[in-house]
Amino acid sequence: MNKRRIKKIAVIGSGIMGSGIACHFANIGVDVILLDIIPRELNDAEKSKGLTLDNKVVRNRIVNDSLITSLKSKPSPIYHQSFATRITTGNLEDDISKVKDVDWIMEVVVERLDIKKQVFEKLEKHRTPGTLITSNTSGIPIHFMSEGRSEDFQKHFCGTHFFNPARYLKLFEIIPGPKTDASVISFLNAYGEQFLGKTSVIAKDTPAFIGNRIGIFGIQSLFHQVKELGLTVEEIDKLTGPVIGRPKSATFRTVDVVGLDTLVHVANGIYDNCLNDEAHELFKLPDFINTMMENKWLGSKTGQGFYKKECKDILTLDLNTLEYRPNKKANFATLELTKTIDKVIDRFKVLVSGKDKAGDFYRKNFAAMFEYVSYRIPEISDELYKLDDAMKAGFGWEHGPFQIWDAIGVEKGIELIKAQGKQPAAWVNEMLASGSSSFYTVKNGATYYYDIPKKSQEKIPGQDAFIILDNIRKSNEVFKNSGVVIEDLGDGILNCEFQSKMNTIGGDVLAGLNKAIDLAEKDFAGLVIGNQGANFSVGANIGMIFMMAAEQEYDELNMAIKYFQDTMMRMRYSSIPTIAAPHGMALGGGCELSMHADKVVAAAETYIGLVEFGVGVIPGGGGSKEMALRASDTFRKNDVELNVLQEYFLTIGMAKVATSAYEAFDFGILQNGKDVVVVNRDRQIATAKAYAKLMAEQGYTQPVKRKDVKVLGKQALGMFLVGTDAMEASRFISEHDHKIANKLAYVMAGGDLSEPTLVSEQYLLDLEREAFLSLCTERKTLERIQHMLKTGKPLRN
């Protein structure tokens, strides 16, 4: 067993990537030294202060400015601003000796081999033997970098390539050098998964490694196809975005964000160094890209690229005239056919059967990708699943190329390749001949892949720490309705998985949750509420609320809200432990559900909050009651209780959404000492299951219903009403915001009681429901809900 521990690391180079990596190590609790070069001359501000080049502030200016810029950037590289105190800055002359005390040195300097080699020479003078030393290069061959270094250096040296931004993109490529010790690679592979929350992929030392080799091929392929097929920039972005499980920024917007120069640098590297690549000519830049480079139209950093913002308008580059024109909406009949297909993986068969330009595009595009990836094995990896892992984790694809090929059908994919006058690599036909009809199979809840040398399906390693719901859903299903699937996770623990659109919470989901509690109380030991969709839940089904309110069916609406509240209370007061596992967006009802579980096991990337003000109501599924209860639990002797209550009131009133699970503790949404955070989302369901099992084994007892919630009555209500009046008078809030805030104030104060009183949760739930219902009778609330349903954005009216 590898007993290596990472307590302290040194990051050399504080640019966007270096600062981002430093922040991510700080995110997971590691002590970081961030070093960079010293300035060669004073800037104007330093001259005006009479500083000299010997001054410490001047000598650390580059590293400090870089880190401050990074910490201010959006989205933030750090889970919580307080974590930045784990980073110490310095420079490569005064502080380089400090690397002797670290467990891992990571070089993230400019992509020039000569500079990297100079840095390694300096570092070796101070490095303690046995210390890990890695380079975050995106393409320079690893074997060149360690030439001339000591045996101990070479043994502990390899490439560790993070993708930018380091916090958000999950790919962590590990590239062994010619003399890297095998134990170093296995340690980094495990560390990336377990501690950094990454998808670790061991790559070969080939140009651009795995992610960029495939990703840049895909983009270059599109650059050449766009004119050939007579498509526009907008049309390509429509075809290569969420419809096929790719980010909203699709292709050209992504290039604008990343920077055209960055992409060109990698493409040129592949063109110059992969002379035997059968798609070599594809890496040659089309004329329009060369023109854009000459014009410095590099994307967001230069103010224009494939898109350009002028005032409020977004203009698009016409690739034929190379002039900017107004944005044109892209529409294709084939895409209309996929609108009713929720699961991306089920859309590919429909897309390649399209009879329009979109169908032509998909057939040509997937044929090129399938052919290309088939020839990259064994050149860049011996195992096909590593290519899929790299594309999903590094480029945000929902499915990798071999998974898409499986979804279309292996034989159909070969047909598409042949239609383009090409052939797949020989091993694909050999696979079919050997009796394997797909690249992947699922057996006993585990995923197997086709191992080319063995000509058989082999289990993908490292799955034992994960529970993959897609793999167990059919075999372990205990109950299903249109809103949820309840699965047996084993060891006496059930999982309730939402299956509604965006995982919204409506009647079927609530019925499913109640059924899950029934089943767990009868025959199981605990319940996890978790899923592996893009988001945990975006909240209650507001379409249903809108219909009932618009039809003035207030009795039905009252019953629906009560059903939601009762279900939340049932979760809290069941006889088995309930664990919520939020990730991605956990908004409104998704947040309320989490707050009523016995324990929350949140993914670090959880954006959670009570956002009901945006649709003209207050939290009505127990959220308003819960914030009053949590404020009451926080009251301490001699504290000013009104100030505490006000903090909880503002969390709802300002619709605060935590930008990470760690920030949710500040808002009182997650609770210290009770709730936990998991950095690797792939481990979340397994971790939640482990906590449910532990709580059951420790003798979980059904809680006693609370009747001791301290509410402050008129004292708090008066303060809130004065505050909301002032906010409206100063035009910080609208008249309708004022009305909603006053309703919330009434609930959280416990009504207009003459003095502080202890009340039950049910008392507060009744006030909450009454306030929610009264707001649903307001025209402006209906306008807000309708606007949200149409645009997905809140309306200020």
Side-chain angles (χ1 to χ4, degrees), residues 107 109-120:
E107 167 274 309
V109 303
V110 66
E111 283 286 89
R112 269 180 51 188
L113 182 61
D114 56 336
I115 292 175
K116 287 182 186 287
K117 290 188 87 160
Q118 286 168 26
V119 168
F120 289 135

Side-chain angles (χ1 to χ4, degrees), residues 217-231 236 239-240 244 246 279 282 348 351-354 356-373 404 408 412-423:
F217 164 81
I219 293 170
Q220 284 286 118
S221 182
L222 289 173
F223 282 172
H224 289 283
Q225 282 178 32
V226 63
K227 282 190 171 179
E228 204 179 308
L229 291 171
L231 292 165
I236 291 276
L239 295 168
T240 59
I244 58 168
R246 309 271 169 90
L282 205 76
F348 294 108
L351 295 174
V352 296
S353 306
D356 57 0
K357 249 189 193 181
D360 294 340
F361 168 79
Y362 287 121
R363 286 186 288 276
K364 192 174 178 67
N365 189 261
F366 288 133
M369 179 60 76
F370 296 162
E371 185 218 11
Y372 192 72
V373 295
I404 296 169
I408 289 169
K412 176 69 178 172
I414 294 171
E415 202 182 291
L416 295 180
I417 295 169
K418 287 182 174 174
Q420 298 298 323
K422 306 268 176 84
Q423 286 286 342

Side-chain angles (χ1 to χ4, degrees), residues 667-713:
F667 299 162
I669 290 168
L670 295 186
Q671 294 181 296
N672 287 307
K674 181 177 89 107
D675 301 327
V676 295
V677 179
V678 176
V679 178
N680 189 335
R681 215 185 104 188
D682 293 337
R683 291 172 176 257
Q684 188 183 14
I685 301 288
T687 306
K689 174 193 164 182
Y691 275 110
K693 186 169 175 259
L694 182 67
M695 288 168 76
E697 285 168 354
Q698 288 177 339
Y700 180 82
T701 306
Q702 184 167 348
V704 176
K705 290 195 175 178
R706 298 278 302 268
K707 293 177 183 172
D708 61 343
V709 184
K710 186 177 182 181
V711 293
L712 305 179

Side-chain angles (χ1 to χ4, degrees), residues 96-115:
I96 194 165
S97 63
K98 291 176 183 174
V99 303
K100 73 179 187 299
D101 300 321
V102 306
D103 307 298
W104 180 352
I105 303 167
M106 193 177 307
E107 167 274 309
V108 200
V109 303
V110 66
E111 283 286 89
R112 269 180 51 188
L113 182 61
D114 56 336
I115 292 175

Side-chain angles (χ1 to χ4, degrees), residues 469-603:
L469 294 176
D470 278 349
N471 290 358
I472 67 166
R473 193 176 295 115
K474 282 181 185 165
S475 58
N476 294 33
E477 186 184 297
V478 176
F479 171 85
K480 181 180 183 178
N481 68 12
S482 61
V484 307
V485 177
I486 300 170
E487 301 110 343
D488 183 351
L489 298 181
D491 298 320
I493 307 301
L494 281 182
N495 181 69
C496 182
E497 178 187 11
F498 297 176
Q499 296 272 289
S500 53
K501 194 172 176 68
M502 298 282 281
N503 290 333
T504 51
I505 304 169
D508 284 351
V509 169
L510 294 172
L513 262 173
N514 278 290
K515 180 69 174 176
I517 296 167
D518 288 342
L519 290 166
E521 287 186 328
K522 184 170 177 284
D523 295 317
F524 292 84
L527 174 66
V528 172
I529 300 96
N531 64 70
Q532 289 167 333
N535 298 297
F536 177 68
S537 172
V538 297
N541 182 344
I542 58 170
M544 180 191 72
I545 294 167
F546 178 76
M547 277 165 54
M548 287 183 186
E551 297 291 330
Q552 298 184 6
E553 294 171 346
Y554 298 126
D555 286 345
E556 286 91 334
L557 186 52
N558 182 49
M559 292 292 287
I561 302 158
K562 188 168 190 317
Y563 188 33
F564 199 133
Q565 290 181 338
D566 289 350
T567 305
M568 296 304 99
M569 294 297 279
R570 184 128 191 257
M571 272 181 58
R572 169 159 294 171
Y573 293 110
S574 64
S575 60
I576 41 98
T578 56
I579 313 286
H583 62 269
M585 287 193 281
L587 305 176
C591 176
E592 288 174 306
L593 187 151
S594 300
M595 292 169 78
H596 283 84
D598 289 307
K599 190 179 198 73
V600 178
V601 175

Side-chain angles (χ1 to χ4, degrees), residues 272-329:
D272 294 342
N273 296 299
C274 298
L275 304 177
N276 297 326
D277 189 314
E278 75 290 339
H280 181 251
E281 286 309 299
L282 205 76
F283 290 96
K284 203 171 188 175
L285 300 167
D287 291 342
F288 69 87
I289 296 292
N290 288 322
T291 305
M292 289 174 74
M293 288 292 288
E294 284 163 21
N295 292 349
K296 297 272 190 291
W297 295 350
L298 308 181
S300 306
K301 59 179 144 188
T302 58
Q304 64 191 97
F306 291 103
Y307 294 96
K308 177 184 181 181
K309 194 169 184 181
E310 270 192 7
C311 303
K312 287 185 178 178
D313 298 324
I314 303 283
L315 304 179
T316 309
L317 188 65
D318 184 311
L319 298 181
N320 294 310
T321 64
L322 288 186
E323 289 175 355
Y324 289 93
R325 55 158 177 75
N327 214 320
K328 291 178 188 168
K329 201 167 170 62

